[in-house]
Amino acid sequence: MKRAGFSTKWMPILLLLPQLVIIAVFFYWPAAHAIHSSFFLQDPFGFGSTYVGIDNYTDLLGSSEYRRVARFTVVFTVLVTFFSLALALLLAVKADNVLRGARTYRTLLMWVYAVAPPVAGFIGLIMFDQSWGPLTRFAGYLGWDFVLGVNFNDTATAMVIVSVWKQIPVNFIFFLSGLQSIPRAVREAALIDNRSATGRFWDVTFPLLAPTGFFLLIINITYALFDTFGIIDTLVKGEPGNNPMTLVYKVYVDGFRGNDMGGSSAQSVILMVLVLALTVFQFRMIDRRIHYT
């Protein structure tokens, strides 16, 4: 087979240059600036800065509030990732079996993907409105006095529900594509070997979806950590107070509202290192157990 080539060695570099410039401007330069700022105590009015070494890091690690936010972030990420993947997989399996009205059914499940996170948060505000929100009324029928923005657990529940609802369509699209790529011969052979639909799913379908599931696992963890910012900011109504918040939202609150640029920079560096370590762990430990052929 003839390999494609370039007439000059500068052509591939030229083609890669726009993407490299974007990465350098919007990732490497801000990351380097954050690392530099994390070692300084900066004047909130921008008149100067004082070198404090690792004091910003030690203050964070010794802060009970930061540990509380970190624990909530872990719980929030696990819940959003699990329910987003589980519900999307369930809907994808059901959609794959639909014969009539399949296109309409899939479209209704996918349209949420076009909703921006702040808009999803605003929809959550409407659904959980204290006076006439339908989900608030439903919780009232169950004896649950749901108070968004005041009660910590109620606000956390709303954050999880809205975040899961926003992410399900993305997972649904990938899972459905993975299910439809399974050869018909494999499905027929599984039907002969195992008459149980549940048994066929766990023994045949689910292992074949492992590469898709692993990819979505990383995407959903990243989504729960970073892309839920707009949802959280809308639901807490710009007044976090004692409401739950994630580590990413705390970086924003401390940096842009508390004017603690050094401390928020240290938080962003810690978060960057944790995400990098988590990604390496996933690829080293989990990817070994997944077969792509």
Side-chain angles (χ1 to χ4, degrees), residues 253-274:
V253 170
D254 290 352
F256 291 93
R257 296 186 180 176
N259 291 323
D260 183 12
M261 302 305 296
S264 63
S265 297
Q267 294 179 48
S268 64
V269 172
I270 293 175
L271 189 61
M272 181 174 59
V273 172
L274 290 176

Side-chain angles (χ1 to χ4, degrees), residues 40-67:
F40 289 85
L41 179 63
Q42 300 187 8
D43 186 277
F45 300 101
F47 293 123
S49 59
T50 304
Y51 179 77
V52 294
I54 62 173
D55 287 354
N56 288 325
Y57 293 96
T58 56
D59 291 342
L60 281 177
L61 298 178
S63 171
S64 59
E65 179 188 3
Y66 187 76
R67 291 195 296 268

Side-chain angles (χ1 to χ4, degrees), residues 40-231:
F40 289 85
L41 179 63
Q42 300 187 8
D43 186 277
F45 300 101
F47 293 123
S49 59
T50 304
Y51 179 77
V52 294
I54 62 173
D55 287 354
N56 288 325
Y57 293 96
T58 56
D59 291 342
L60 281 177
L61 298 178
S63 171
S64 59
E65 179 188 3
Y66 187 76
R67 291 195 296 268
R68 178 179 64 85
V69 173
R71 287 193 297 268
F72 173 78
T73 302
V74 172
V75 175
F76 176 79
T77 302
V78 171
L79 291 177
V80 171
T81 301
F82 173 77
F83 284 109
S84 297
L85 291 174
L87 293 176
L89 180 58
L90 175 63
L91 293 173
V93 171
K94 297 301 181 181
D96 191 45
N97 296 328
V98 171
L99 297 179
R100 294 184 178 180
R103 182 173 299 178
T104 302
Y105 178 63
R106 295 167 188 172
T107 302
L108 290 175
L109 290 174
M110 292 179 186
W111 72 271
V112 183
Y113 180 58
V115 178
V119 177
F122 181 73
I123 295 175
L125 284 178
I126 296 175
M127 300 298 289
F128 290 103
D129 185 85
Q130 189 63 29
S131 301
W132 46 268
L135 293 182
T136 302
R137 290 187 176 183
F138 177 75
Y141 294 146
L142 301 177
W144 183 359
D145 185 18
F146 197 98
V147 184
L148 177 65
V150 177
N151 184 280
F152 183 94
N153 293 327
D154 293 349
T155 307
T157 301
M159 288 166 53
V160 171
I161 291 175
V162 176
S163 299
V164 169
W165 173 74
K166 174 69 176 69
Q167 185 65 6
I168 284 178
V170 181
N171 300 331
F172 170 79
I173 294 171
F174 281 96
F175 276 134
L176 184 61
S177 299
L179 287 170
Q180 293 179 343
S181 66
I182 298 177
R184 185 178 182 85
V186 174
R187 298 192 181 195
E188 293 176 349
L191 182 62
I192 296 174
D193 293 338
N194 193 336
R195 301 295 299 178
S196 172
T198 304
R200 291 196 305 271
F201 174 79
W202 290 112
D203 295 339
V204 178
T205 305
F206 189 75
L208 292 175
L209 286 176
T212 303
F214 173 68
F215 167 76
L216 289 177
L217 177 64
I218 299 175
I219 294 299
N220 279 260
I221 291 177
T222 305
Y223 163 78
L225 287 174
F226 297 100
D227 294 344
T228 54
F229 176 90
I231 296 175

